[in-house]
Amino acid sequence: MGVFMGVCVTTLLREKGFKVTPQRLAIYNVLAASKAHPSAEMIFHQLQPIYPTMSLATVYKTIEILKELGLIQVLNAGEDSFRYDADTSNHPHICCRRCGRVDDLHGVDSTEFVEKVVKTTPYRITGQQFYFYGVCPECAAKE
Amino acid sequence: MGVFMGVCVTTLLREKGFKVTPQRLAIYNVLAASKAHPSAEMIFHQLQPIYPTMSLATVYKTIEILKELGLIQVLNAGEDSFRYDADTSNHPHICCRRCGRVDDLHGVDSTEFVEKVVKTTPYRITGQQFYFYGVCPECAAKE
DNA sequence: GTGAGTGCAAATGGTTTGCATGTTC
DNA sequence: GAACATGCAAACCATTTGCACTCAC
């Protein structure tokens, strides 16, 4: 899987005229391997030990490219910073009000709800983002 | 309606120990009268002609209080700034990718969808926010 | 009159940009 | 070797904070 994805990113970057650099692959790999929807800062800190010279600016610039290539989606659950998800399938997210973690919400079908909206609104709809808020099991256990 | 709402805000502010100032009432009135989900900056500019001395800081501080009183809800459709809505009912929003306007989406029932999520997730859910993205009729007409 | 609110200006923090140096192809 | 990428530092911009002056009560 790692190898396959590596090839994909490499190919996609080259196709669009971007160069393939270790930093870009590393940043994508962090996102692809994580279920925590890391922010730029989180990616930066995770790569710090392996790429001590990497800068936050490079993380942001790379994220911009990955977004452009359609390899990641951007989340904003109402925090001060954006989070990123290499799973570009359209799934809802759930955010813990206590600890701030963001989890995926798979296996819940929203097509019926989306259909109703598409029929109702005068907008031409191109996408959607659903955020749920609450308390995660870990935080609930502490209370 | 304006008077009624004015009384409500006044009462609520006093009850919670906040003072009633012209600025606070003006800021709430802008939000209550608008369907555009204005940002702090937009509120500020709208009040500029009437309250030339008002500062952005006051807008932000007042928003904080209105939030605390449950009089407004905060939106974040993925832009760089937050937007605010005096309609605190739980309704989805739709955001135009072209012009950035944010509209309400009333009359679409989401309870079934929410129920499914509540049953599926280990989180204790306390709220949700649904954002749709697309092109508004005005922008579509221009294309 | 007192304590809270306003408004200015400065600080903060996430993100972006400019540019000299380093790397990919 | 040319063009593009990196990484530093400075810039940016939304939001927050500190504080002297003002106002609601």
Side-chain angles (χ1 to χ4, degrees):
Chain A
M1 173 171 159
V3 173
F4 178 66
M5 292 195 307
V7 170
C8 277
V9 185
T10 299
T11 308
L12 263 166
L13 282 168
R14 289 229 176 85
E15 268 174 10
K16 299 272 180 173
F18 296 110
K19 287 185 175 163
V20 178
T21 68
Q23 288 91 333
R24 286 177 180 170
L25 296 179
I27 290 164
Y28 178 73
N29 285 334
V30 166
L31 279 165
S34 171
K35 290 223 162 294
H37 312 86
S39 63
E41 191 92 16
M42 288 159 131
I43 298 171
F44 175 65
H45 279 120
Q46 189 166 338
L47 289 174
Q48 198 82 297
I50 314 162
Y51 294 87
T53 70
M54 168 150 354
S55 80
L56 246 183
T58 299
V59 175
Y60 280 110
K61 286 168 187 167
T62 299
I63 283 168
E64 199 54 40
I65 291 171
L66 295 175
K67 220 194 306 182
E68 201 179 321
L69 298 184
L71 286 169
I72 59 173
Q73 64 172 311
V74 182
L75 302 184
N76 193 325
E79 301 162 300
D80 35 4
S81 63
F82 288 96
R83 284 163 167 262
Y84 307 95
D85 192 346
D87 177 353
T88 54
S89 73
N90 202 285
H91 55 281
H93 291 91
I94 185 159
C95 181
C96 179
R97 291 276 195 207
R98 300 281 184 279
C99 65
R101 67 182 277 189
V102 178
D103 277 316
D104 289 321
L105 216 65
H106 278 120
V108 184
D109 187 31
S110 63
T111 45
E112 205 177 322
F113 174 55
V114 174
E115 283 305 315
K116 275 193 282 188
V117 170
V118 169
K119 277 180 201 142
T120 306
T121 180
Y123 277 61
R124 174 164 55 77
I125 289 184
T126 59
Q128 69 272 168
Q129 204 65 254
F130 300 151
Y131 298 104
F132 288 84
Y133 299 95
V135 182
C136 73
E138 285 73 11
C139 287
K142 283 182 207 147
E143 287 178 4
Chain B
M1 173 169 161
V3 173
F4 175 67
M5 293 195 305
V7 170
C8 276
V9 185
T10 299
T11 308
L12 263 166
L13 282 168
R14 289 231 176 83
E15 269 175 8
K16 300 273 179 171
F18 295 110
K19 288 186 175 163
V20 178
T21 67
Q23 288 92 332
R24 287 177 181 170
L25 296 178
I27 290 164
Y28 178 73
N29 285 335
V30 167
L31 279 165
S34 171
K35 290 222 164 294
H37 312 86
S39 63
E41 191 91 16
M42 288 158 133
I43 297 170
F44 175 65
H45 279 120
Q46 188 166 340
L47 289 173
Q48 198 81 297
I50 314 160
Y51 295 88
T53 70
M54 169 150 353
S55 80
L56 246 182
T58 299
V59 176
Y60 280 111
K61 286 168 187 168
T62 299
I63 284 169
E64 198 54 39
I65 291 171
L66 295 175
K67 221 194 306 182
E68 200 179 321
L69 298 184
L71 285 169
I72 59 173
Q73 64 173 311
V74 182
L75 302 184
N76 193 325
E79 301 162 300
D80 36 6
S81 62
F82 288 96
R83 284 160 168 266
Y84 307 95
D85 191 347
D87 177 354
T88 55
S89 73
N90 201 286
H91 55 280
H93 291 89
I94 185 158
C95 180
C96 178
R97 291 277 196 205
R98 299 280 184 279
C99 65
R101 67 183 277 188
V102 178
D103 277 316
D104 289 321
L105 215 65
H106 278 121
V108 185
D109 186 30
S110 63
T111 45
E112 204 177 323
F113 174 55
V114 174
E115 284 303 317
K116 276 193 280 188
V117 170
V118 169
K119 277 180 202 141
T120 306
T121 181
Y123 277 62
R124 175 163 53 79
I125 289 183
T126 59
Q128 70 272 166
Q129 204 65 256
F130 301 150
Y131 299 104
F132 288 85
Y133 300 94
V135 182
C136 73
E138 284 74 10
C139 287
K142 284 181 205 147
E143 287 177 3

